[in-house]
């Protein structure tokens, strides 16, 4: 999903590892339709299954252009008389075919970026149609990858072209004809990427072959199953590959691959690659089997910061050491193989399932490696970055989380802190069980028998309730469906301490609270959102001594106000 924005706070001064190539002529401008991902599906898109995509690209670094040849196979679930896919209007379409027959230009149109093709004859339910599109042009250059999407045209330190795509925010249609929606995953994709000979093109899935055509061009062929639409990625550069085999705790094994620049320091490459296996072991122990063990766990170095491109995650953290004891970017993008690529949100309103749960894996990994102090340090960072302006879950399927009324970075940090509160409330065993069921649809996933699935927030509420045997809908409601954090009111009179929860919507919030009285911890049941306990006069009282509960904090509010004041 779009990269964890904590990088913006931690890495404000980021030295350039690549020099940008000389400016190219101004390309055509993408339409507003294209630049908004996850548009409502057209009726004909809802009526078909996306079976297969063969995507052939020729990438021309000198002109910063792309020639594409896309063959897409659909099966109709209901009768349709046309097919629709999204494709940026910056491309010139030279030919459209249905089942091998050219379609007259009058039978297709692409005014805003939704290419609609009239079928020669209606396709009945169960029927299959093959749509082929030939197109070429200058794809959108990313203004600020990975946050603003498109192609990144750069030059490696050794002088060769260094190119990447990052299209999560604005969508797959920036460079290939797709159904730009979480439900638009093709069952199988073959990538044929033709690049100047001497450059490598690592991509999603399994490498089938490379073919040097003897004319200065080489084609790299890859095959991937069920990739997220925005996770299909082009990566082109002077790469070398370091690889090993990971032996899983679930009895299977698969390749680990790191495609890095040839100019990189071998010691830094080796140190980063040494982190792959421990991270995989953590995720398999905490969530379940690596979902793509029939392909690979892959990472490629990119001229932008990073992105969770299924089985070929983009890595641009430049081997930085920040005192965490692990590379946070490598870990975050790997988390998305579970939270995003295996389990995909139904709509943008459920994006916190990717980003919040994925972000929470980092404090858990810090604890796995170094203990509670390191976990708490990361959670403190998350707490100080909350905005609390808009709900994490709004109830609107068309929400864009970085729009003016979207939750923004709260999908990362509030989602993470909510997950911590949930784990503290229901316990480690139930929390792990809930994640496993959310990700795989079963409590006992088996390597080699894993199918990607889609989820909503309501799905996770249901799963938590099933695992615990209790209704925790109020917890999700209080944290995720309200912009403001719950406030814990406290009043102490004589020997009585009274506590009361106050939520943004005023609904009951019976979250128990731990209170430390002169070093002794007491759990206060907050039936109906209220509770009380007797404390000796003069006793030292500390609310929530282990910071298990996410709530409004005067200390954090004061810090945020101070920072915003410019002082």
């Amino acid at each position: 999903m779009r990269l964890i924005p904590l990088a913006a706070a931690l890495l404000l001064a980021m030295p350039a590892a690549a020099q940008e190539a000389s400016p190219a002529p101004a390309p055509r401008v993408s339409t507003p339709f294209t630049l908004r991902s996850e548009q409502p599906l057209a009726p004909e898109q809802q009526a078909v299954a996306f079976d297969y995509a063969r995507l052939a690209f020729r990438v021309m670094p000198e002109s910063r252009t792309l020639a594409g040849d896309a063959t897409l196979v659909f099966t109709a679930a209901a009768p349709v008389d046309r097919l629709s896919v999204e494709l940026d209007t910056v491309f010139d379409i030279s030919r459209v075919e249905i089942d091998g027959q050219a379609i007259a230009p009058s039978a297709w149109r692409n005014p805003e970026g939704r290419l609609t093709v009239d079928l020669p004859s209606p396709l009945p339910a169960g029927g299959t149609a093959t749509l082929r599109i030939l197109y070429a042009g200058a794809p959108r250059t990313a203004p600020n990858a990975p946050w603003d999407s498109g192609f990144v045209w750069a030059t490696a330190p050794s002088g060769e072209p260094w190119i990447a795509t990052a299209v999560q925010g604005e969508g797959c249609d920036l460079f290939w004809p797709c159904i730009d929606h979480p439900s638009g995953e093709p069952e199988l994709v073959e990538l044929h990427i033709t690049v100047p000979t001497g450059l490598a093109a690592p991509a999603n899935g399994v490498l089938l072959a490379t073919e040097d055509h003897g004319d200065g061009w080489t084609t790299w062929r890859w095959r991937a199953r069920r990739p997220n639409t925005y996770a299909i990625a082009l990566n082109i550069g002077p790469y070398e590959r370091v690889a090993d085999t990971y032996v899983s705790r679930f009895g299977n094994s698969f390749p680990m691959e790191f495609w890095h620049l040839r100019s990189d320091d071998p010691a830094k490459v080796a140190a980063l690659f040494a982190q792959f296996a421990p991270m995989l072991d953590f995720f398999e122990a905490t969530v379940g089997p690596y979902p793509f063990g029939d392909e690979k766990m892959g990472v490629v170095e990119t001229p932008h910061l990073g992105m969770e491109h299924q089985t070929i995650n983009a890595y641009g953290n430049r081997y930085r050491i920040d005192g965490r004891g692990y590379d946070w970017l490598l870990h975050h993008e790997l988390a998305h193989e579970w939270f995003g690529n295996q389990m995909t949100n139904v709509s943008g309103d459920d994006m916190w399932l990717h980003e919040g749960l994925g972000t929470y894996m980092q404090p858990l990994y810090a604890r796995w490696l170094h203990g509670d102090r390191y976990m708490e340090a990361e959670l403190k960072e998350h707490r100080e970055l909350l905005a609390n302006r808009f709900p994490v879950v709004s109830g609107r399927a068309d929400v864009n989380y970085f729009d003016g009324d979207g939750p923004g970075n709260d999908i990362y940090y509030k989602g993470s802190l909510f997950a911590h509160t949930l784990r503290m409330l229901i316990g480690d065993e139930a929390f792990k069980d809930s994640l496993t069921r959310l990700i795989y649809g079963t409590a006992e996933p088996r390597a080699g028998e894993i199918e990607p699935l889609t989820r909503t927030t309501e799905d996770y509420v249901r799963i938590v309730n099933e695992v615990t045997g209790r209704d925790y809908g109020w917890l999700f409601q209080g944290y995720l469906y309200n912009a403001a954090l719950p406030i814990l009111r406290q009043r102490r009179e004589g020997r009585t301490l009274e506590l009361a929860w106050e939520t943004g919507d005023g609904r009951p919030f019976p979250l128990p609270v731990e209170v430390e009285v002169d070093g002794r911890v007491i759990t206060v049941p907050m039936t109906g959102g209220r509770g009380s306990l007797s404390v000796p006069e003069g006793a030292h009282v500390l609310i929530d001594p282990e910071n298990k509960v996410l709530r409004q904090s005067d200390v954090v509010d004061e810090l945020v106000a101070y920072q915003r004041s410019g002082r």
Side-chain angles (χ1 to χ4, degrees), residues 210-284:
T210 59
E211 181 182 359
D212 187 337
H213 301 289
D215 58 359
W217 296 90
T218 297
T219 298
W220 294 67
R221 293 177 50 216
W222 299 83
R223 182 180 62 214
R225 67 177 182 89
R226 292 287 296 275
N228 275 351
T229 53
Y230 72 81
I232 294 174
L234 303 183
N235 305 281
I236 300 160
Y239 290 118
E240 290 182 346
R241 183 185 72 118
V242 58
D244 200 354
T245 298
Y246 175 76
V247 179
S248 166
R249 60 173 58 212
F250 289 93
N252 62 320
S253 60
F254 51 86
M256 300 182 295
E257 299 181 359
F258 179 32
W259 296 77
H260 62 90
L261 294 179
R262 287 197 284 260
S263 57
D264 287 348
D265 181 345
K268 292 181 178 179
V269 171
L272 187 74
F273 188 66
Q275 296 188 39
F276 283 29
M279 286 187 186
L280 281 165
D281 187 53
F282 161 77
F283 281 108
E284 291 203 323

Side-chain angles (χ1 to χ4, degrees), residues 23 33 39 104 128 130 149 185 278 283 346 401 412 481 507 541 566:
F33 179 89
Q39 297 276 23
T128 298
T130 299
S149 297
E185 295 181 358
F283 281 108
V346 168
Y401 55 96
Y412 297 84
Y481 291 82
R507 297 190 185 190
V541 174

Side-chain angles (χ1 to χ4, degrees), residues 1-3 168 230 307-308 333 336 351 354-355 401:
M1 245 273 339
R2 193 174 298 194
L3 190 62
Q168 181 191 15
Y230 72 81
M307 182 61 66
E308 63 270 19
E333 302 310 344
H336 282 307
M351 187 63 74
H354 294 200
E355 301 296 355
Y401 55 96

Side-chain angles (χ1 to χ4, degrees), residues 22-30 63-65 90 138-141:
S22 57
R28 301 181 199 173
V29 177
S30 303
S63 60
R64 295 187 174 184
T65 56
V90 302
R140 183 178 194 254
T141 297

